[in-house]
């Protein structure tokens, strides 16, 4: 297994009555792309600022390669932070922006020139070295900010909502570019984002935070398929959540019936929530197949490659969602049936 680069142990931070972080512990491995994901106010940016040295925790420890990182002043940490705004100097050329940190370190001019040229090639900006930031597109400015961060060869690169200022198409292109760069330069990346798709597409592992606590740390696929609790299930992607009472044959929902799902023996008789992804739900015309839940189509949304259908089932307080490939023939107001395989659903407790 890849060795641990950063170990965060029981970090807590409060701002007056606001609990930003509460006993947060996690490990970041050498060379991985790690994401801190959660809604606004969950503590992810505070944790990033602690790593960068702009905040100090009330308690807990942070080590990098086994050494106390909190004892090192920000400017001496082998850590670099790429700001959300990119913070480029408007009066400097691309090359000068990238070289700025190296010049502050008073490195030899020949070494600075060599390292700037190399990183310009890495980020694909060789032909734009003499341009000013206002002559660049949003994606190009982001590449300059990245180049300026990695040219100093930090052990750890922190990215605060790095793609939020870009439009959807450029953001998708830069997600691929970030992944390529991270593998090419071999630096450990930690990205803060509230965008689930961004975290899932970029990260090797993701820590989901809520109200200052870590709810789950996992790779994207198990995080999506096996959420640890209801918060993660509801936050990561679209999910159908139905509450009821667990029984040996499934989840009993008053006024609806028994919904198929695996039920652990120790859960029988307890309140629980069934979780089923929309892409696991099958649609069938009413009466064309036995079983399943009957309902009325309330909405049909076509996304190009897929269609999401919302079906209102009597007895449920909100429609169930089904995602089907391509277009669908069902229309709003029609009767339909929903079904899924037992193994595609899971039960989560109320906590």
């Amino acid at each position: 297994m890849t060795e641990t680069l950063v170990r965060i142990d029981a970090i807590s931070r409060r701002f007056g009555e606001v609990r930003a972080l509460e006993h947060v512990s996690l490990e970041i491995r050498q060379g991985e792309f790690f994401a801190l994901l959660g809604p606004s106010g969950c503590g992810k940016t505070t944790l990033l600022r602690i790593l960068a040295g702009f905040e100090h925790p009330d308690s807990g420890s942070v080590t990098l390669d086994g050494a106390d990182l909190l004892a090192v002043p920000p400017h001496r940490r082998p850590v670099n932070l790429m700001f959300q705004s990119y913070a480029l100097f408007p009066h400097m050329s691309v090359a000068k922006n990238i070289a700025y940190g190296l010049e502050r370190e008073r490195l030899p001019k020949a070494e600075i020139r060599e390292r700037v040229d190399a990183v310009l090639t890495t980020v694909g900006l060789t032909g734009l070295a003499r341009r000013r930031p206002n002559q660049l597109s949003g994606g190009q400015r982001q590449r300059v900010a990245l180049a300026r961060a990695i040219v100093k060869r930090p052990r750890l690169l922190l990215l605060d909502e790095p793609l939020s200022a870009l439009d959807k198409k450029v953001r998708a292109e830069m997600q691929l570019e970030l992944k390529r760069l991270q593998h090419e330069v071999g630096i450990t990346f930690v990205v803060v984002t509230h965008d689930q798709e961004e975290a899932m597409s970029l990260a090797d592992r993701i820590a989901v935070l809520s109200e200052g606590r870590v709810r789950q740390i996992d790779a994207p696929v198990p995080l999506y398929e096996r959420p640890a609790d209801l918060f993660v299930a509801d936050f990561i992607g679209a999910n159908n959540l139905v509450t009821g009472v667990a029984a040996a044959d499934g989840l009993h929902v008053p006024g609806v019936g028994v919904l198929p799902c695996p039920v652990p023996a120790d859960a029988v008789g307890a309140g629980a929530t069934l979780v089923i992804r929309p892409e696991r739900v099958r649609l069938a015309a009413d009466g064309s197949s036995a079983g399943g839940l009957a309902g009325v189509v309330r909405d049909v949304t076509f996304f190009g490659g897929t269609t999401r259908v919302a079906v209102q089932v009597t007895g449920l307080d909100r429609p169930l969602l089904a995602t089907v490939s391509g277009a669908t023939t069902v229309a709003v107001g029609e009767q339909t049936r929903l079904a899924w395989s037992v193994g595609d659903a899971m039960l989560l407790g109320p906590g």
Side-chain angles (χ1 to χ4, degrees), residues 25 125 136 151 198-199 208 210 228 287 334:
S25 297
L125 292 176
L136 304 176
V151 75
E198 186 170 292
V208 181
S210 170
E334 289 184 354

Side-chain angles (χ1 to χ4, degrees), residues 44-65:
K44 56 188 186 297
T45 297
T46 299
L47 186 56
L48 199 77
R49 290 176 60 83
I50 287 172
L51 291 174
F54 302 145
E55 293 282 352
H56 198 84
D58 299 324
S59 59
S61 65
V62 181
T63 60
L64 189 149
D65 276 337

Side-chain angles (χ1 to χ4, degrees), residues 17-334:
E17 297 299 313
V18 178
R19 180 185 67 187
L21 295 169
E22 190 76 15
H23 299 296
V24 169
S25 297
L26 56 88
E27 295 180 358
I28 301 168
R29 299 166 187 162
Q30 174 66 46
E32 81 172 332
F33 204 131
F34 193 90
L36 300 172
L37 174 66
S40 298
C42 71
K44 56 188 186 297
T45 297
T46 299
L47 186 56
L48 199 77
R49 290 176 60 83
I50 287 172
L51 291 174
F54 302 145
E55 293 282 352
H56 198 84
D58 299 324
S59 59
S61 65
V62 181
T63 60
L64 189 149
D65 276 337
D68 183 7
L69 187 65
L70 299 179
V72 182
H75 66 284
R76 295 197 178 277
R77 296 185 183 189
V79 177
N80 221 332
L81 172 62
M82 193 185 107
F83 293 98
Q84 184 176 354
S85 63
Y86 307 151
L88 301 179
F89 298 112
H91 63 287
M92 291 185 182
S93 67
V94 167
K96 279 289 188 181
N97 264 285
I98 296 170
Y100 180 78
L102 302 179
E103 290 173 348
R104 290 289 301 271
E105 293 179 1
R106 302 185 185 279
L107 295 181
K109 288 185 177 180
E111 181 181 349
I112 292 175
R113 188 162 50 248
E114 180 183 336
R115 285 169 66 168
V116 170
D117 288 346
V119 80
L120 280 168
T121 300
T122 299
V123 299
L125 292 176
T126 303
L128 304 180
R130 297 182 182 277
R131 291 194 185 180
R132 300 280 177 89
N134 64 359
Q135 297 174 301
L136 304 176
S137 68
Q140 289 168 338
R141 287 195 294 272
Q142 203 236 24
R143 290 169 192 250
V144 176
L146 265 174
R148 187 177 59 182
I150 64 178
V151 75
K152 294 186 69 175
R153 298 171 183 170
R155 298 295 310 283
L156 187 66
L157 178 59
L158 311 175
L159 303 102
D160 185 11
E161 302 277 3
L163 308 180
S164 61
L166 305 177
D167 63 46
K168 186 173 182 179
K169 183 178 180 182
V170 177
R171 189 187 306 124
E173 292 171 353
M174 288 309 301
Q175 286 173 358
L176 295 174
E177 187 70 8
L178 273 177
K179 259 316 232 192
R180 180 190 70 80
L181 276 171
Q182 195 265 335
H183 284 296
E184 189 168 312
V185 300
I187 296 171
T188 301
F189 279 24
V190 178
V191 61
V192 156
T193 182
H194 65 273
D195 187 318
Q196 306 140 36
E197 290 185 4
E198 186 170 292
M200 301 285 275
S201 65
L202 288 174
D204 300 308
R205 288 190 304 141
I206 300 168
V208 181
L209 283 79
S210 170
E211 298 180 337
R213 294 181 180 273
V214 175
R215 308 300 289 256
Q216 186 173 355
I217 301 173
D218 227 325
V221 172
L223 187 70
Y224 183 83
E225 293 187 344
R226 293 293 161 189
D229 58 29
L230 284 176
F231 174 82
V232 178
D234 199 28
F235 186 73
I236 301 293
N239 243 328
N240 293 301
L241 306 176
V242 183
T243 58
V245 177
D249 55 348
L251 184 74
H252 282 227
V253 181
V256 178
V258 181
L259 305 188
C261 60
V263 180
D266 59 357
V268 173
T273 299
L274 179 144
V275 180
I276 180 74
R277 293 285 181 188
E279 62 268 25
R280 304 290 189 176
V281 178
R282 301 187 301 274
L283 280 180
D286 191 31
S288 66
S289 62
L293 294 174
V296 178
V297 176
R298 293 301 184 205
D299 186 62
V300 178
T301 307
F302 181 57
F303 294 105
T306 60
T307 300
R308 178 160 294 173
V309 182
V311 179
Q312 185 64 61
V313 175
T314 301
L316 297 183
D317 57 0
R318 58 178 173 176
L320 293 180
L321 302 177
T323 299
V324 299
S325 179
T328 181
T329 57
V330 300
V332 173
E334 289 184 354

